[in-house]
Amino acid sequence: EDVEILIPNKCSIRSDWVCDGWICMFAISVKAGFKFPFSPLMVGILNTLELLPCQLMPLIWKTVLAIEAVCREHGPTITLEDL
């Protein structure tokens, strides 16, 4: 799927604008290394906590991405139940 990134400004749409198929993300999450699509671990965290991606602090994004990177390099996969 194609991903379109819009950066709102005062002359265009607002970051709290609601549109089907769109989500609001903070730029810092992308800078921290977040990529689409969400990993199964991140989907599990968001679903379990009943949060939107923009409601997670950047440190959580960095921590989950670091856990996933270590698992990719050194094995075993960590699941939501492990956390």
Side-chain angles (χ1 to χ4, degrees):
E1 283 183 70
D2 293 331
V3 174
E4 182 179 359
I5 298 175
L6 296 177
I7 301 173
N9 60 42
K10 61 184 173 185
C11 298
S12 66
I13 62 173
R14 301 183 334 233
S15 60
D16 63 348
W17 178 63
V18 177
C19 182
D20 287 340
W22 290 76
I23 61 169
C24 179
M25 293 285 298
F26 290 110
I28 192 70
S29 299
V30 177
K31 290 178 184 176
F34 168 79
K35 292 184 172 80
F36 288 101
F38 292 108
S39 69
L41 180 59
M42 187 57 76
V43 170
I45 291 169
L46 291 170
N47 287 338
T48 299
L49 299 175
E50 298 181 0
L51 295 175
L52 297 170
C54 63
Q55 292 176 296
L56 285 181
M57 298 298 291
L59 183 57
I60 299 297
W61 286 108
K62 289 180 182 181
T63 302
V64 172
L65 291 168
I67 289 169
E68 292 175 332
V70 168
C71 289
R72 271 192 308 274
E73 291 293 319
H74 304 289
T77 301
I78 293 194
T79 65
L80 185 60
E81 290 77 26
D82 296 325
L83 297 179

